[in-house]
């Protein structure tokens, strides 16, 4: 769930903007969960009269919804805040207000420190408290500099407005839906258990209700999100406990919902029910993001991943026998403290064994407060760079091989948005690849059959099947 930098897209709502309406610009760093949170913040601010804008220059409120997963992410936020300070000063000289807020995981981790380092910031609101953003802005307008990073006792989702159908429609035919937050796994490299807190699952009724609203507004594909999504647990409507697989069976019954996905999963929480859901549910797309992080058992143990490389491979075998066409994706970290050349070779070996359709890979980044930061034997930066290049070359080769194997196949394509060329749309394959095809804009939201005819650097090209 990485490497996305998105500027909040709710453009369609700009239409009926009254000239005195306040505008909010949200810059989203990090993972899909932050994209979801930005949309929900935008919804919460709508009731305060804010409309979203994609032009930072015209905003009355700028929010940086931040990510703290790697070191550079926080650095980027501080340098963005430096630029915003200048913008706020220029605005003040012209007698116009500009409010600045920091939300998300950097807000949670740094709290008051942000106010100290960035005097232009008015509000700092953590990921568990963003339902309190409107009140925080009111207090800031009265002259207070607000930090809201306590874990809220009340359920954030109970206090947020329900997903607005017109806004959901404007965002497109695919949607994220957060079902679980936080993590209890405590991998030794990771800040998530500290910034997002311990695992909390949303209830079945909240999730089903939100999914129904999304589908009702025209959404065809829903991706369930969680830091550790397959640790989701909920009370079954008939009593007893449901696991994620059971939730998927329930959501698959929603008429009009054509596709389901979920991310990100931990190998230890891939239970039989979830694997059976992949076997049974046609709406559950044959794509699974299942990070292994490293191939060496010694490093996996030091990372506290709680499984071995062989166990991971056996798990993938079981998943593939349930759903043979499933595409595997993963995350990798190179240069965890103490990683030797042999350990790194073990990572390459597991990649060779699995054959990934796509993957994300990173150099280990020391996170203060995590056990990994206390370990000696940190790996030299140049060694990390060299290992990352080798790993990425292998992963890229596998991604290309997977894409090339699609050429000639007839597949279902969910048409999502206009393409770069006139008369072209971009859709998603079941395996999450972008596919370009000639089609009319009125067909957005349709699932059509296409034949893949060629591969490009980041996408595939297709023609209508039968043409
Ligand atoms: N919960 C997911 C899991 O268990 O795989 C991943 C969540 S994390 C937000 C996304 C990815 O960031 C991780 O899978 C890992 O590869 C990477 N990551 C986390 N901490 C990191 C660190 N300190 N340095 C480099 N990469 C890191
Ligand atoms: Fe971080 Fe590990 Fe939890 Fe994933 S499972 S969020 S990597 S602690």
């Amino acid at each position: 769930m990485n490497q996305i930098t998105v500027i909040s897209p709710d453009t369609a709502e700009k239409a009926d903007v009254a000239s005195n309406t306040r505008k909010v610009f949200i810059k989203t760093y990090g993972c899909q969960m932050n994209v979801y949170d930005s949309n929900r913040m935008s919804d919460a601010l709508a009731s305060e009269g804010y409309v979203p804008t994609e032009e930072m220059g015209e905003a009355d409120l700028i929010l940086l919804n931040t990510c703290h997963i790697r070191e550079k992410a926080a650095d980027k936020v501080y340098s963005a805040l430096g630029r915003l300070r200048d913008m706020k000063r220029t605005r003040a000289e012209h007698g116009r207000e500009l409010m600045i807020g920091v939300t998300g995981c950097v807000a949670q981790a740094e709290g008051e420190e942000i106010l100290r380092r960035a005097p232009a910031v008015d509000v700092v609101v953590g990921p568990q408290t963003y339902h309190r953003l409107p009140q925080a802005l009111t207090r800031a307008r009265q002259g207070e500099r607000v930090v809201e990073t306590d874990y809220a006792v009340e359920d954030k989702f109970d206090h947020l407005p329900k997903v607005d159908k017109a806004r959901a429609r404007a965002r497109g035919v695919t949607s994220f839906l957060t079902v679980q937050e936080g993590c209890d796994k405590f991998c030794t490299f990771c800040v998530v258990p500290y910034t997002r807190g311990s695992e909390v699952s949303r209830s079945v009724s909240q999730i089903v209700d939100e999914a129904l609203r999304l589908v009702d507004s025209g959404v065809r594909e829903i991706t369930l999100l969680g830091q550790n999504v397959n640790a989701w647990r909920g009370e079954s409507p008939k009593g007893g406990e449901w696991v994620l697989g059971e939730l998927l069976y329930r959501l698959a019954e929603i008429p009009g919902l054509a596709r389901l996905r979920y991310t990100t999963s931990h190998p230890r929480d891939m239970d039989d029910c979830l694997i059976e859901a992949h076997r049974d549910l046609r709406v559950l797309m044959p794509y699974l993001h299942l990070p292994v992080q490293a191939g060496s058992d010694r490093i996996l143990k030091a990372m506290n991943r709680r499984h071995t490389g062989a166990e991971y491979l056996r798990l993938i075998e079981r998943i593939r026998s349930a759903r043979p066409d499933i595409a595997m994706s993963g995350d990798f970290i190179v240069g965890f403290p103490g990683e030797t050349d042999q350990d790194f070779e073990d990572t390459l070996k597991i990649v060779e064994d699995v054959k990934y359709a796509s993957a994300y890979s990173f150099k280990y980044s020391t996170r203060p407060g995590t056990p990994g930061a206390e370990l000696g034997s940190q790996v030299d930066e140049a060694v990390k760079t060299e290992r990352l290049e080798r790993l990425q070359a292998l992963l890229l080769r596998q991604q290309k091989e997977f894409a090339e194997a699609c050429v000639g196949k007839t597949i279902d394509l969910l048409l999502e948005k206009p393409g770069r060329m006139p008369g072209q749309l971009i859709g998603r394959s079941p395996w999450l690849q972008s596919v370009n095809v000639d089609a009319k804009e009125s067909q957005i939201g349709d699932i059509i059959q296409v034949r893949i005819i060629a591969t490009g650097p980041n996408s595939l090209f297709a023609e209508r099947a039968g043409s």
Side-chain angles (χ1 to χ4, degrees):
M1 293 211 277
N2 324 315
Q3 286 186 331
I4 300 172
T5 298
V6 181
I7 293 171
S8 196
D10 317 333
T11 47
E13 299 138 86
K14 281 203 293 190
D16 47 8
V17 177
S19 57
N20 61 352
T21 314
R22 287 193 288 221
K23 296 183 183 174
V24 54
F25 173 90
I26 308 181
K27 183 165 174 71
T28 308
Y29 299 83
C31 65
Q32 293 100 322
M33 295 196 67
N34 269 9
V35 175
Y36 176 86
D37 288 348
S38 290
N39 287 338
R40 298 308 305 268
M41 282 189 255
S42 177
D43 291 348
L45 290 168
S47 49
E48 302 297 305
Y50 280 99
V51 295
T53 174
E54 286 186 56
E55 296 296 328
M56 190 188 267
E58 63 178 30
D60 305 286
L61 167 65
I62 296 177
L63 294 177
L64 304 183
N65 189 18
T66 60
C67 167
H68 203 233
I69 201 78
R70 278 168 292 277
E71 207 175 352
K72 283 196 187 119
D75 294 347
K76 270 195 221 159
V77 172
Y78 280 115
S79 61
L81 288 174
R83 290 191 296 276
L84 291 181
R85 180 191 53 203
D86 298 341
M87 195 169 158
K88 187 166 178 157
R89 194 182 299 135
T90 316
R91 283 280 185 91
E93 283 164 10
H94 292 86
R96 233 191 108 191
E97 180 190 77
L98 172 62
M99 297 191 80
I100 297 172
V102 181
T103 61
C105 292
V106 175
Q108 188 64 40
E110 305 265 298
E112 298 270 350
E113 178 68 4
I114 297 180
L115 297 188
R116 201 185 61 74
R117 281 183 65 177
V121 171
D122 300 289
V123 294
V124 175
V125 178
Q128 314 308 335
T129 33
Y130 65 75
H131 56 297
R132 297 193 195 147
L133 190 56
Q135 294 94 306
L137 290 169
T138 307
R139 283 161 59 198
R141 221 167 268 116
Q142 289 157 358
E144 196 184 337
R145 295 182 80 206
V146 183
V147 178
E148 277 278 11
T149 50
D150 288 347
Y151 285 105
V153 185
E154 69 268 29
D155 183 351
K156 167 176 77 186
F157 293 104
D158 280 340
H159 287 78
L160 284 167
K162 283 187 188 301
V163 165
D164 180 88
K165 289 188 190 168
R167 288 168 160 267
R169 188 171 303 120
R171 287 178 187 135
V173 295
T174 63
S175 180
F176 296 131
L177 197 176
T178 291
V179 299
Q180 180 279 336
E181 291 198 5
C183 184
D184 296 341
K185 288 284 188 292
F186 289 93
C187 299
T188 55
F189 51 82
C190 185
V191 289
V192 167
Y194 312 95
T195 54
R196 291 270 178 167
S198 52
E199 282 169 7
V200 178
S201 295
R202 291 181 73 189
S203 70
V204 173
S205 61
Q206 264 186 3
I207 296 165
V208 171
D209 181 53
E210 194 166 319
L212 285 167
R213 289 182 78 80
L214 289 170
V215 173
D216 213 24
S217 64
V219 166
R220 306 296 319 277
E221 173 181 303
I222 293 178
T223 302
L224 307 183
L225 298 180
Q227 261 92 25
N228 192 8
V229 71
N230 56 347
W232 178 89
R233 296 286 179 276
E235 202 182 314
S236 141
K238 291 184 187 143
E241 191 180 67
W242 266 4
V243 288
L244 185 70
E246 285 159 306
L247 178 67
L248 288 165
Y249 281 99
R250 168 66 189 91
L251 294 173
E253 290 169 3
I254 295 179
L257 179 59
R259 289 182 166 192
L260 271 169
R261 303 179 186 274
Y262 60 95
T263 197
T264 293
S265 298
H266 192 288
R268 279 293 293 260
D269 294 319
M270 264 336 274
D271 58 24
D272 289 347
C273 179
L274 194 46
I275 296 175
E276 281 158 20
H278 277 287
R279 180 196 63 201
D280 297 341
L281 299 175
R282 289 303 100 183
V283 292
L284 183 56
M285 290 296 97
Y287 177 92
L288 179 59
H289 185 68
L290 191 65
V292 66
Q293 314 293 358
S296 142
D297 288 346
R298 210 174 62 80
I299 295 296
L300 286 170
K301 190 158 195 285
M303 287 176 162
N304 192 31
R305 288 294 290 181
R306 308 174 200 204
H307 61 78
T308 62
E311 282 163 349
Y312 178 78
L313 289 173
R314 269 199 300 279
L315 175 61
I316 290 187
E317 242 177 69
R318 284 174 51 221
I319 297 165
R320 282 189 166 143
S321 53
R323 186 77 206 238
D325 63 339
I326 202 158
M328 293 304 305
S329 166
D331 290 343
F332 297 89
I333 295 178
V334 299
F336 185 79
E339 185 187 74
T340 62
D341 286 343
Q342 183 52 53
D343 292 324
F344 175 64
E345 292 301 324
D346 291 347
T347 296
L348 296 179
K349 173 78 174 64
I350 211 161
V351 172
E352 292 283 9
D353 287 345
V354 173
K355 299 198 183 2
Y356 288 91
S358 71
Y360 301 94
S361 47
F362 315 96
K363 286 191 233 179
Y364 170 68
S365 162
T366 311
R367 307 314 290 127
T370 61
E374 308 298 317
L375 298 173
S377 58
Q378 298 284 331
V379 175
D380 194 68
E381 202 53 32
V383 174
K384 286 188 201 170
T385 304
E386 194 257 343
R387 287 181 187 165
L388 187 65
E389 279 169 9
R390 283 182 63 198
L391 174 62
Q392 290 187 335
L394 173 59
L395 290 168
L396 189 64
R397 200 184 73 218
Q398 293 194 342
Q399 186 177 330
K400 277 191 180 154
E401 283 167 2
F402 184 84
E404 276 155 17
C406 293
V407 175
K409 279 188 187 160
T410 298
I411 65 162
D412 283 344
L413 188 66
L414 170 59
L415 298 172
E416 285 187 14
K417 56 185 178 192
R420 280 218 201 118
M421 310 300 253
Q424 214 177 50
L425 294 185
I426 297 179
R428 289 273 175 188
S429 77
W431 309 288
L432 209 58
Q433 299 141 304
S434 287
V435 181
N436 304 280
V437 67
D438 287 343
K440 292 195 226 67
E441 220 168 304
S442 59
Q443 289 178 287
I444 289 177
D446 289 354
I447 294 178
I448 61 169
Q449 287 233 306
V450 299
R451 191 171 40 256
I452 305 297
I453 50 174
T455 64
N458 299 310
S459 59
L460 304 173
F461 295 89
E463 62 186 14
R464 302 291 290 264
S467 60

